[in-house]
Amino acid sequence: MQSHKYTLEPYSGMKTRYQCPSCEKKKVFTKYIDTHTKEYLNDAVGKCDRVIKCGYHYKPKQYFNNNNIPFDPPAIGKTHTIVEPKTKASFINIEVMNKTMATKHPNYFIDYLTQLCGHQITNYLAGKYNIGTSNHWNGASIFWQMDIEGRLRTGKIMLYNPSNGKRIKEPYNHINWMHKSLKLDNFSLEQCYFGEHLLNEDSSKPVAIVESEKTAIISSVYLPEFIWMACGGINNINKAKTEVLKGRDVVLFPDLKCYDLWNDKIPSLTKMATFRISTLLRDKATEAEKEQGLDIADYLVRLNPKIN
């Protein structure tokens, strides 16, 4: 089996993410490491997480070619890859989630939903999608990831503007995780799609996947003929998460600017489910809207800004 001498450093906290040498954003750059020595190849060799807005990806082979250094990857049959046993996923006690959903502390995303949909629908959505409240930041929300077995994988903590529903990204991106906030020892994270637990409601209902948790929640009100789930990031649609969708009809609704990226993923996933990709935004959006990278929820709330 062929082994790769260099690989992108696995995520183990923000200490493993650096300033991008291209866009100069902090905590978004992943460096390549030597799989044997665990040392970085070079500070500029790596990949920016901001795939759409930056796209910087300087690969080891390019680095060696640019510096006239011989690049000899391990030959097949001459090395052995040691496959370590897969660590079992960790889970968070359901009572932790229940407490975050019962608290009376401010929740700015809930405030935005109430402004958009009214109290009755907002309460329904909060229970359906397990939206909790965190005191990590005043007004912060928790989007719990519950799998199809009803187990809590983790919860994503985010802060929103209560007036316009936009995420707070200044002076820094307000995102954290419950397994980190709870300081759980030896926690082995294995994420699932946000909203995966809803697959139990109807085995014949088609599934819609979007990037953000907010978009999945809002879209479920306007287009209830789908089970709406979120992958939580541009690059977070993968085989491991998608196994749970075996036999399902799935429609991808990518944000503007992400159509090609998501469309390229489909061939590797079609053995598990029937995938299609919506061209609605790509075909109808203006150039200005494409530049903004809007998603389907941005359009839906325009069509009917108040649901009662």
Side-chain angles (χ1 to χ4, degrees):
M1 181 181 292
Q2 183 176 2
S3 63
H4 297 280
K5 183 172 176 57
Y6 300 101
T7 187
L8 289 168
E9 183 178 20
Y11 181 82
S12 59
M14 293 310 294
K15 67 179 183 297
T16 59
R17 296 297 179 262
Y18 303 91
Q19 181 173 336
C20 176
S22 177
C23 66
E24 298 186 343
K25 280 280 188 179
K26 296 181 178 179
K27 305 295 185 182
V28 298
F29 185 66
T30 306
K31 297 180 182 180
Y32 276 94
I33 61 169
D34 186 312
T35 56
H36 302 293
T37 67
K38 304 302 180 183
E39 294 180 351
Y40 297 117
L41 177 56
N42 181 276
D43 286 343
V45 182
K47 182 179 181 181
C48 182
D49 295 340
R50 303 172 76 230
V51 178
I52 301 301
K53 294 185 177 180
C54 177
Y56 181 89
H57 189 185
Y58 191 22
K59 299 180 180 179
K61 189 172 183 179
Q62 294 173 291
Y63 170 78
F64 284 107
N65 288 340
N66 292 343
N67 291 277
N68 295 316
I69 303 172
F71 179 69
D72 296 316
I76 297 177
K78 292 187 178 181
T79 60
H80 298 278
T81 301
I82 299 175
V83 180
E84 297 181 0
K86 185 178 179 180
T87 306
K88 289 186 178 180
S90 300
F91 304 104
I92 297 175
N93 191 303
I94 200 80
E95 288 302 317
V96 176
M97 183 188 77
N98 292 339
K99 288 179 181 179
T100 69
M101 295 177 65
T103 181
K104 300 300 181 182
H105 291 300
N107 187 316
Y108 293 161
F109 180 68
I110 293 294
D111 291 343
Y112 170 71
L113 278 183
T114 303
Q115 173 186 304
L116 179 68
C117 304
H119 287 286
Q120 184 174 351
I121 291 177
T122 297
N123 289 338
Y124 168 74
L125 292 173
K128 178 179 180 178
Y129 278 98
N130 300 320
I131 306 173
T133 300
S134 171
N135 59 7
H136 190 78
W137 300 292
N138 184 47
S141 304
I142 307 170
F143 298 93
W144 288 102
Q145 288 184 14
M146 179 180 283
D147 65 23
I148 197 169
E149 302 293 336
R151 302 169 300 191
L152 290 181
R153 302 296 186 93
T154 188
K156 186 190 291 187
I157 305 170
M158 290 189 283
L159 184 63
Y160 284 81
N161 182 309
S163 299
N164 60 23
K166 301 295 184 183
R167 278 206 296 116
I168 304 297
K169 299 182 180 180
E170 300 295 341
Y172 58 90
N173 203 355
H174 288 63
I175 296 180
N176 206 332
W177 298 90
M178 281 303 294
H179 63 277
K180 292 184 177 297
S181 180
L182 295 169
K183 298 180 179 179
L184 300 176
D185 293 333
N186 302 315
F187 191 89
S188 177
L189 175 62
E190 187 175 315
Q191 293 191 57
C192 66
Y193 286 119
F194 173 75
E196 182 183 298
H197 63 288
L198 300 176
L199 293 172
N200 291 313
E201 293 183 355
D202 189 339
S203 60
S204 63
K205 205 171 188 180
V207 175
I209 297 179
V210 292
E211 182 181 340
S212 83
E213 294 81 0
K214 167 194 164 184
T215 301
I217 293 166
I218 291 175
S219 298
S220 73
V221 178
Y222 291 83
L223 299 170
E225 59 266 31
F226 293 98
I227 294 173
W228 288 88
M229 305 195 308
C231 62
I234 295 172
N235 291 308
N236 286 353
I237 294 178
N238 56 47
K239 290 182 179 179
K241 286 183 179 178
T242 305
E243 288 178 358
V244 75
L245 299 176
K246 187 174 182 180
R248 293 272 190 166
D249 290 322
V250 183
V251 182
L252 303 180
F253 287 87
D255 295 2
L256 288 171
K257 291 187 177 182
C258 299
Y259 178 89
D260 290 339
L261 184 67
W262 280 25
N263 194 45
D264 289 345
K265 290 178 179 287
I266 291 179
S268 65
L269 303 174
T270 50
K271 290 183 180 180
M272 304 179 197
T274 302
F275 276 85
R276 291 179 291 126
I277 189 165
S278 172
T279 61
L280 180 64
L281 300 192
R282 184 198 65 175
D283 296 342
K284 300 295 184 181
T286 65
E287 290 303 316
E289 290 169 339
K290 290 178 181 178
E291 185 63 28
Q292 294 176 61
L294 301 184
D295 62 31
I296 188 172
D298 292 315
Y299 289 88
L300 292 174
V301 296
R302 292 177 185 177
L303 294 174
N304 190 358
K306 181 74 173 178
I307 304 174
N308 291 310

